Amino acid sequence: MFSIFDDTNFPIINVKLSGSLNKDNDFLEFQNNWLKYYNEKKDFIFIFDLEEMTYVHPKYALLMANFMKKIKKMEYQYLKTSVIYVSNKLILELIYFIFNIEKPLNTVYIIEEKNSAKSNLNNQLNKTEINENIEIIESFIKSENIKHRIIEV
């Protein structure tokens, strides 16, 4: 399975992507899971863990940009921010390629080192207040002195 969505700590949704993305069914399942949270009509935050991703066929970068474009046309943006953990340089470049084609839906924090950073951040996030969680993410990024980039809309 390419993607696993864990909403145990909703509104924080942990999304683990692993292995290769080279099958249409895997990408369709990823999109459907994403849209499920829009259909619930509640604000949320995605925490993407791409540490175990090995390969993405380039066509899915274009499909992802198209998918984001469609989501932007929706009446309301329930995704309030995203954090992406990634260490594979090729996957990182693919993310930047996607965001060059289509700007993100909301602010994205790309963290290029995972191990302790991920567990430290996840321990600080709470299950209730979206704006408080966004503030926690922003202050964590600044205080932990970790390698990161911020991509804003």
Side-chain angles (χ1 to χ4, degrees):
M1 181 176 286
F2 168 71
S3 63
I4 299 172
F5 287 70
D6 177 4
D7 58 11
T8 306
N9 295 317
F10 192 88
I12 308 299
I13 302 168
N14 289 290
V15 183
K16 183 163 184 72
L17 305 178
S18 59
S20 297
L21 176 56
N22 53 16
K23 295 178 185 167
D24 291 348
N25 285 343
D26 287 342
F27 187 70
L28 185 60
E29 180 183 356
F30 171 79
Q31 287 179 311
N32 288 338
N33 281 322
W34 184 313
L35 289 173
K36 176 179 93 172
Y37 297 105
Y38 270 78
N39 292 334
E40 290 180 11
K41 299 188 184 310
K42 295 179 184 173
D43 294 344
F44 62 92
I45 294 172
F46 274 147
I47 309 289
F48 290 99
D49 181 350
L50 281 57
E51 291 295 307
E52 295 178 16
M53 277 188 75
T54 55
Y55 172 76
V56 175
H57 190 286
K59 83 174 188 177
Y60 296 105
L62 297 173
L63 290 172
M64 186 65 195
N66 258 354
F67 178 63
M68 290 168 42
K69 190 174 193 171
K70 287 178 187 175
I71 290 176
K72 282 183 181 177
K73 292 179 182 177
M74 293 182 173
E75 187 175 318
Y76 182 82
Q77 291 305 313
Y78 294 99
L79 176 61
K80 295 305 173 188
T81 194
S82 296
V83 176
I84 302 174
Y85 294 100
V86 59
S87 57
N88 182 312
K89 296 296 181 199
L90 292 174
I91 302 296
L92 182 62
E93 290 304 317
L94 201 57
I95 292 168
Y96 292 133
F97 175 72
I98 292 168
F99 289 148
N100 279 330
I101 295 171
E102 189 65 40
K103 295 287 183 216
L105 303 170
N106 217 317
T107 303
V108 175
Y109 301 89
I110 299 175
I111 299 176
E112 296 181 46
E113 48 188 82
K114 177 196 164 195
N115 300 331
S116 63
K118 183 176 184 219
S119 60
N120 289 344
L121 177 59
N122 283 355
N123 289 337
Q124 293 180 40
L125 298 175
N126 66 56
K127 295 181 180 181
T128 55
E129 189 58 45
I130 287 287
N131 290 331
E132 184 179 325
N133 282 318
I134 292 172
E135 289 173 14
I136 290 169
I137 292 168
E138 290 173 350
S139 66
F140 175 82
I141 295 287
K142 292 174 186 169
S143 68
E144 289 292 316
N145 203 20
I146 55 179
K147 187 174 182 183
H148 72 282
R149 296 181 191 175
I150 300 172
I151 301 175
E152 297 182 288
V153 181

